């Protein structure tokens, strides 16, 4: 009875820890199931998306190599001779007039280019136009360098990060894009797609734990806030989402599409990557603070984590603003040439939608810091501190550990002071001996007394 009673008091923190895990499971499992169900309902099973000539795009890409150039076709024209390496006229050489001057690409012999073929007469030069450079090998080399850098620094964690990156591309290419093109609501597709990416990436990269679940919950709350604010201010600001790229998409599809929802979808997906960074960093910071001092209350954990989060938040918000500004830089330059005032430039459709994206995403990032920090503090304070478990293990090896640690803990320190060589021995304590210089100068003096004794002893 006594043994059983003692055993009942051996794990006082386990019920609280178990309750936290259960609560997180009850919160996140339904959301994960809803994400999977939404993906199944929104995925366009059996839908065959028309492409190429079926949607009016008759141009086909053909690879070619530049073999010659002549500047005799006009003042702002250059005749480029290419040999095709693919397509219906593979191996044939043709000469294509190409624009030459400011804003036009510059070609050199040996450049690998891409031609646009109209599909009418494969032997005629008039059916082709130089539209781009081939850059597949350079992108492959860059991807290999990126992979090597991630694996070298992150090891197994880096491998998990690469898997998460691949998963994100798979969700975007195989779910988000086909579903939107099939006519589904872009906003709903983006919400479900973001959920798939978030659950998959975070748990794959950081493992299944209470810490990861807390980061997932903080990300969900921040994404919901971004979605609500984005929908509200896109309506208040009367944003249509009809920029040049979207107009081209609607024209090619030939069907109606929710362009405002497409704008919101881009806002959600664009903010997701930065949100993951903020929530994971805040959760890890709170867990490490808890590990360093297990006596901290949740209020103290929240206060300390918030101080860390403020520095992170300021840099992340600036990163998001610079990312959007960099993407819209050509547009900003083009509009500034129109001679319009700053207010007119900022309120233009194409600029205003970038402002809404930036500010709404930034509000979500700012909110992610206190929300995630509070959740992490509430969960971490009820978790057992991990370093406390391995302490009993090394106790039998304490003498050996001490013996090995002595020279490291108390390193030998030597100095020459006058004619004495002074040092410290970890086993024997301080010691002194004459320096080499003192020994040399003292040698004749040590030999002199015996000589004097022999001379005094002779008659």
């Amino acid at each position: 009875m006594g043994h059983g009673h003692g055993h009942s008091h051996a794990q006082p923190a386990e019920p609280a820890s178990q309750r936290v895990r259960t609560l997180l499971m009850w919160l996140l499992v339904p959301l994960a199931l809803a994400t999977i169900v939404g993906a199944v309902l929104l995925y366009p099973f059996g839908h065959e998306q028309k492409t190429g000539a079926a949607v009016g795009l008759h141009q086909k890409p053909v690879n070619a190599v530049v073999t010659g150039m002549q500047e005799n076709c006009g003042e702002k024209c250059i005749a480029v001779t290419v040999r095709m390496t693919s397509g219906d006229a593979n191996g044939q050489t043709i000469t294509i007039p190409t624009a030459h001057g400011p804003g036009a690409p510059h070609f050199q012999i040996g450049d690998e280019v891409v031609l646009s073929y109209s599909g009418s007469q494969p032997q005629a030069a008039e059916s082709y136009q130089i539209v781009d450079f081939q850059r597949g090998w350079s992108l492959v080399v860059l991807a290999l360098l990126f992979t090597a850098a991630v694996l070298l620094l992150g090891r197994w964690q880096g491998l998990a990060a690469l898997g998460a990156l691949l998963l994100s591309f798979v969700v975007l290419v195989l779910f988000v894009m086909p579903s939107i093109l099939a006519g589904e609501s872009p906003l709903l597709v983006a919400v479900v797609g973001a959920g798939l990416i978030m659950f998959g990436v975070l748990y794959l990269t950081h493992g299944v734990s209470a810490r990861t679940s807390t980061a997932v919950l903080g990300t969900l709350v921040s994404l919901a806030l971004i979605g609500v604010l984005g929908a509200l201010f896109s309506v208040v600001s009367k944003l249509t989402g009809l920029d040049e790229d979207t107009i081209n998409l609607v024209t090619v599809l030939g069907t109606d599409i929710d362009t405002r929802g497409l704008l919101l979808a881009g806002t959600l997906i664009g903010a997701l990557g930065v949100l993951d960074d903020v929530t994971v960093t805040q959760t890890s910071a709170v867990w490490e603070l808890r590990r360093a001092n297990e006596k901290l209350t949740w209020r103290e954990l929240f206060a300390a984590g918030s101080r860390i989060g403020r520095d992170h938040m300021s840099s992340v918000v600036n990163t998001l603003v610079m990312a959007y500004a960099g993407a819209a830089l050509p547009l900003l330059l083009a509009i500034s040439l129109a001679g319009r005032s700053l207010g007119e430039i900022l309120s233009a459709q194409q600029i205003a939608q970038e402002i809404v994206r930036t500010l709404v995403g930034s509000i979500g990032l700012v909110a992610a810091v206190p929300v995630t920090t509070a959740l992490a503090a509430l969960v971490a304070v009820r978790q057992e501190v991990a370093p406390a478990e391995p302490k009993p293990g090394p106790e039998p090896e304490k003498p050996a550990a001490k013996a090995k640690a002595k020279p490291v803990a108390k390193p030998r320190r030597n100095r020459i002071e006058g004619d004495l060589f002074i040092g410290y021995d970890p086993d024997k304590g301080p010691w002194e001996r004459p320096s080499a210089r003192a020994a040399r100068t003292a040698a004749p003096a040590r030999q002199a007394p015996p000589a004097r004794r022999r001379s005094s002893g002779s008659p």
Side-chain angles (χ1 to χ4, degrees), residues 209-285:
S209 63
R211 179 191 297 195
T212 306
S213 298
T214 305
V216 169
L217 197 57
T219 305
L220 279 172
V221 173
S222 302
L223 276 178
L225 178 61
I226 290 174
V228 171
L229 290 177
L232 175 63
F233 282 95
S234 63
V235 173
V236 173
S237 303
K238 294 182 171 59
L239 297 178
T240 62
L242 288 172
D243 55 15
E244 183 178 354
D245 294 332
T246 307
I247 293 174
N248 293 335
L249 173 64
V250 174
T251 303
V252 170
L253 285 176
T255 58
D256 193 15
I257 186 173
D258 183 6
T259 55
R260 182 179 290 169
L262 195 61
L263 171 65
L264 295 175
T267 303
L268 281 178
I269 294 175
L272 177 61
V274 189
L275 269 180
D276 288 349
D277 178 26
V278 172
T279 55
V280 170
T281 301
Q282 285 304 114
T283 305
S284 298

Side-chain angles (χ1 to χ4, degrees), residues 121-314:
Q121 299 178 0
Q123 308 297 329
E126 294 79 10
S127 301
Y128 298 92
Q129 183 180 2
I130 302 177
V131 294
D132 204 352
F133 288 94
Q134 298 181 44
R135 54 183 64 91
W137 68 269
S138 60
L139 296 180
V140 170
V141 171
L142 181 59
L144 291 176
L145 289 175
F146 167 73
T147 302
V150 172
L151 292 178
L152 183 63
L153 180 63
R155 307 289 177 86
W156 289 110
Q157 188 78 5
L159 183 62
L162 291 175
L165 179 62
L166 178 61
L167 175 63
S168 299
F169 277 111
V170 168
V171 172
L172 290 174
V173 174
L174 299 184
F175 171 71
V176 174
M177 292 169 57
S179 299
I180 293 177
L181 291 176
E184 300 293 344
S185 169
L187 182 57
L188 288 179
V189 172
V191 169
V192 174
L196 291 174
I197 293 174
M198 179 193 60
F199 281 109
V201 166
L202 289 180
Y203 283 116
L204 177 62
T205 307
H206 305 285
V208 180
S209 63
R211 179 191 297 195
T212 306
S213 298
T214 305
V216 169
L217 197 57
T219 305
L220 279 172
V221 173
S222 302
L223 276 178
L225 178 61
I226 290 174
V228 171
L229 290 177
L232 175 63
F233 282 95
S234 63
V235 173
V236 173
S237 303
K238 294 182 171 59
L239 297 178
T240 62
L242 288 172
D243 55 15
E244 183 178 354
D245 294 332
T246 307
I247 293 174
N248 293 335
L249 173 64
V250 174
T251 303
V252 170
L253 285 176
T255 58
D256 193 15
I257 186 173
D258 183 6
T259 55
R260 182 179 290 169
L262 195 61
L263 171 65
L264 295 175
T267 303
L268 281 178
I269 294 175
L272 177 61
V274 189
L275 269 180
D276 288 349
D277 178 26
V278 172
T279 55
V280 170
T281 301
Q282 285 304 114
T283 305
S284 298
V286 171
W287 247 260
E288 292 304 319
L289 289 169
R290 164 71 172 167
R291 178 178 296 176
N293 187 356
E294 58 183 294
K295 296 181 180 180
L296 292 175
T297 64
W298 83 266
R299 292 181 183 275
E300 293 169 332
L301 283 175
F302 174 75
S306 297
R307 288 192 292 271
I308 297 173
R310 290 189 192 102
D311 294 333
H312 191 205
M313 175 194 65
S314 59

Side-chain angles (χ1 to χ4, degrees), residues 312-338:
H312 191 205
M313 175 194 65
S314 59
S315 61
V316 167
V317 167
N318 186 64
T319 300
L320 187 64
V321 172
M322 291 298 101
Y324 281 123
L329 184 58
L331 179 62
L332 291 171
L333 295 174
I335 293 181
S336 65
L337 292 176

